[in-house]
PDB file of all heavy atoms in Angstrom:
ATOM      1  N   LEU A 320      31.115 -33.393 -34.673  1.00 98.00           N
ATOM      2  CA  LEU A 320      32.544 -33.119 -34.469  1.00 98.00           C
ATOM      3  C   LEU A 320      33.306 -33.296 -35.779  1.00 98.00           C
ATOM      4  O   LEU A 320      34.111 -32.442 -36.179  1.00 98.00           O
ATOM      5  CB  LEU A 320      33.120 -34.067 -33.405  1.00 98.00           C
ATOM      6  CG  LEU A 320      32.755 -33.756 -31.952  1.00 98.00           C
ATOM      7  CD1 LEU A 320      33.091 -34.947 -31.055  1.00 98.00           C
ATOM      8  CD2 LEU A 320      33.490 -32.518 -31.459  1.00 98.00           C
ATOM      9  N   VAL A 321      33.012 -34.391 -36.466  1.00 98.00           N
ATOM     10  CA  VAL A 321      33.739 -34.677 -37.701  1.00 98.00           C
ATOM     11  C   VAL A 321      33.340 -33.679 -38.792  1.00 98.00           C
ATOM     12  O   VAL A 321      34.164 -33.264 -39.602  1.00 98.00           O
ATOM     13  CB  VAL A 321      33.504 -36.144 -38.142  1.00 98.00           C
ATOM     14  CG1 VAL A 321      34.252 -36.438 -39.434  1.00 98.00           C
ATOM     15  CG2 VAL A 321      33.951 -37.103 -37.052  1.00 98.00           C
ATOM     16  N   LEU A 322      32.070 -33.284 -38.775  1.00 97.00           N
ATOM     17  CA  LEU A 322      31.564 -32.313 -39.744  1.00 97.00           C
ATOM     18  C   LEU A 322      32.341 -31.001 -39.684  1.00 97.00           C
ATOM     19  O   LEU A 322      32.609 -30.358 -40.691  1.00 97.00           O
ATOM     20  CB  LEU A 322      30.076 -32.064 -39.426  1.00 97.00           C
ATOM     21  CG  LEU A 322      29.351 -30.885 -40.048  1.00 97.00           C
ATOM     22  CD1 LEU A 322      29.233 -31.082 -41.534  1.00 97.00           C
ATOM     23  CD2 LEU A 322      27.983 -30.726 -39.435  1.00 97.00           C
ATOM     24  N   MET A 323      32.701 -30.593 -38.486  1.00 98.00           N
ATOM     25  CA  MET A 323      33.343 -29.288 -38.307  1.00 98.00           C
ATOM     26  C   MET A 323      34.855 -29.343 -38.551  1.00 98.00           C
ATOM     27  O   MET A 323      35.465 -28.345 -38.955  1.00 98.00           O
ATOM     28  CB  MET A 323      33.048 -28.820 -36.865  1.00 98.00           C
ATOM     29  CG  MET A 323      33.424 -27.400 -36.542  1.00 98.00           C
ATOM     30  SD  MET A 323      32.804 -26.185 -37.705  1.00 98.00           S
ATOM     31  CE  MET A 323      31.039 -26.381 -37.543  1.00 98.00           C
ATOM     32  N   LYS A 324      35.420 -30.508 -38.295  1.00 97.00           N
ATOM     33  CA  LYS A 324      36.872 -30.648 -38.182  1.00 97.00           C
ATOM     34  C   LYS A 324      37.690 -30.039 -39.322  1.00 97.00           C
ATOM     35  O   LYS A 324      38.651 -29.317 -39.091  1.00 97.00           O
ATOM     36  CB  LYS A 324      37.195 -32.134 -38.041  1.00 97.00           C
ATOM     37  CG  LYS A 324      38.626 -32.484 -38.064  1.00 97.00           C
ATOM     38  CD  LYS A 324      38.777 -33.975 -38.067  1.00 97.00           C
ATOM     39  CE  LYS A 324      40.194 -34.348 -38.376  1.00 97.00           C
ATOM     40  NZ  LYS A 324      40.591 -33.955 -39.729  1.00 97.00           N
ATOM     41  N   GLY A 325      37.317 -30.284 -40.565  1.00 97.00           N
ATOM     42  CA  GLY A 325      38.212 -29.866 -41.656  1.00 97.00           C
ATOM     43  C   GLY A 325      37.805 -28.585 -42.352  1.00 97.00           C
ATOM     44  O   GLY A 325      38.357 -28.265 -43.391  1.00 97.00           O
ATOM     45  N   GLN A 326      36.834 -27.864 -41.798  1.00 98.00           N
ATOM     46  CA  GLN A 326      36.299 -26.719 -42.547  1.00 98.00           C
ATOM     47  C   GLN A 326      37.158 -25.466 -42.417  1.00 98.00           C
ATOM     48  O   GLN A 326      37.394 -24.978 -41.322  1.00 98.00           O
ATOM     49  CB  GLN A 326      34.902 -26.366 -42.030  1.00 98.00           C
ATOM     50  CG  GLN A 326      33.821 -27.343 -42.396  1.00 98.00           C
ATOM     51  CD  GLN A 326      32.436 -26.766 -42.110  1.00 98.00           C
ATOM     52  OE1 GLN A 326      32.133 -25.640 -42.464  1.00 98.00           O
ATOM     53  NE2 GLN A 326      31.615 -27.548 -41.442  1.00 98.00           N
ATOM     54  N   PRO A 327      37.555 -24.903 -43.561  1.00 98.00           N
ATOM     55  CA  PRO A 327      38.232 -23.596 -43.485  1.00 98.00           C
ATOM     56  C   PRO A 327      37.182 -22.534 -43.166  1.00 98.00           C
ATOM     57  O   PRO A 327      35.992 -22.732 -43.417  1.00 98.00           O
ATOM     58  CB  PRO A 327      38.765 -23.405 -44.906  1.00 98.00           C
ATOM     59  CG  PRO A 327      37.824 -24.190 -45.764  1.00 98.00           C
ATOM     60  CD  PRO A 327      37.368 -25.358 -44.939  1.00 98.00           C
ATOM     61  N   LEU A 328      37.606 -21.393 -42.652  1.00 98.00           N
ATOM     62  CA  LEU A 328      36.665 -20.297 -42.430  1.00 98.00           C
ATOM     63  C   LEU A 328      36.198 -19.785 -43.793  1.00 98.00           C
ATOM     64  O   LEU A 328      36.929 -19.852 -44.758  1.00 98.00           O
ATOM     65  CB  LEU A 328      37.349 -19.159 -41.662  1.00 98.00           C
ATOM     66  CG  LEU A 328      37.780 -19.486 -40.216  1.00 98.00           C
ATOM     67  CD1 LEU A 328      38.486 -18.260 -39.615  1.00 98.00           C
ATOM     68  CD2 LEU A 328      36.599 -19.879 -39.350  1.00 98.00           C
ATOM     69  N   ALA A 329      35.000 -19.238 -44.039  1.00 97.00           N
ATOM     70  CA  ALA A 329      34.031 -19.088 -42.975  1.00 97.00           C
ATOM     71  C   ALA A 329      32.935 -20.139 -43.198  1.00 97.00           C
ATOM     72  O   ALA A 329      33.159 -21.301 -42.960  1.00 97.00           O
ATOM     73  CB  ALA A 329      33.460 -17.686 -42.995  1.00 97.00           C
ATOM     74  N   TYR A 330      31.787 -19.713 -43.777  1.00 97.00           N
ATOM     75  CA  TYR A 330      30.696 -20.662 -43.975  1.00 97.00           C
ATOM     76  C   TYR A 330      30.995 -21.645 -45.104  1.00 97.00           C
ATOM     77  O   TYR A 330      31.506 -21.269 -46.153  1.00 97.00           O
ATOM     78  CB  TYR A 330      29.383 -19.919 -44.296  1.00 97.00           C
ATOM     79  CG  TYR A 330      28.254 -20.885 -44.600  1.00 97.00           C
ATOM     80  CD1 TYR A 330      27.513 -21.448 -43.575  1.00 97.00           C
ATOM     81  CD2 TYR A 330      27.995 -21.303 -45.908  1.00 97.00           C
ATOM     82  CE1 TYR A 330      26.518 -22.384 -43.835  1.00 97.00           C
ATOM     83  CE2 TYR A 330      26.997 -22.236 -46.177  1.00 97.00           C
ATOM     84  CZ  TYR A 330      26.267 -22.765 -45.140  1.00 97.00           C
ATOM     85  OH  TYR A 330      25.297 -23.694 -45.397  1.00 97.00           O
ATOM     86  N   ASN A 331      30.659 -22.893 -44.891  1.00 98.00           N
ATOM     87  CA  ASN A 331      30.689 -23.901 -45.954  1.00 98.00           C
ATOM     88  C   ASN A 331      29.391 -24.683 -45.913  1.00 98.00           C
ATOM     89  O   ASN A 331      28.784 -24.838 -44.852  1.00 98.00           O
ATOM     90  CB  ASN A 331      31.856 -24.882 -45.739  1.00 98.00           C
ATOM     91  CG  ASN A 331      33.183 -24.160 -45.696  1.00 98.00           C
ATOM     92  OD1 ASN A 331      33.732 -23.781 -46.714  1.00 98.00           O
ATOM     93  ND2 ASN A 331      33.684 -23.929 -44.491  1.00 98.00           N
ATOM     94  N   LYS A 332      29.011 -25.189 -47.050  1.00 97.00           N
ATOM     95  CA  LYS A 332      27.738 -25.918 -47.142  1.00 97.00           C
ATOM     96  C   LYS A 332      27.710 -27.155 -46.238  1.00 97.00           C
ATOM     97  O   LYS A 332      26.635 -27.650 -45.880  1.00 97.00           O
ATOM     98  CB  LYS A 332      27.486 -26.307 -48.603  1.00 97.00           C
ATOM     99  CG  LYS A 332      26.109 -26.880 -48.877  1.00 97.00           C
ATOM    100  CD  LYS A 332      25.029 -25.829 -48.978  1.00 97.00           C
ATOM    101  CE  LYS A 332      23.765 -26.419 -49.603  1.00 97.00           C
ATOM    102  NZ  LYS A 332      22.687 -25.433 -49.675  1.00 97.00           N
TER     103      LYS A 332
END
Side-chain angles (χ1 to χ4, degrees):
L320 285 166
V321 180
L322 166 67
M323 190 51 62
K324 173 186 168 295
Q326 288 192 47
L328 294 178
Y330 176 84
N331 302 282
K332 189 79 165 178

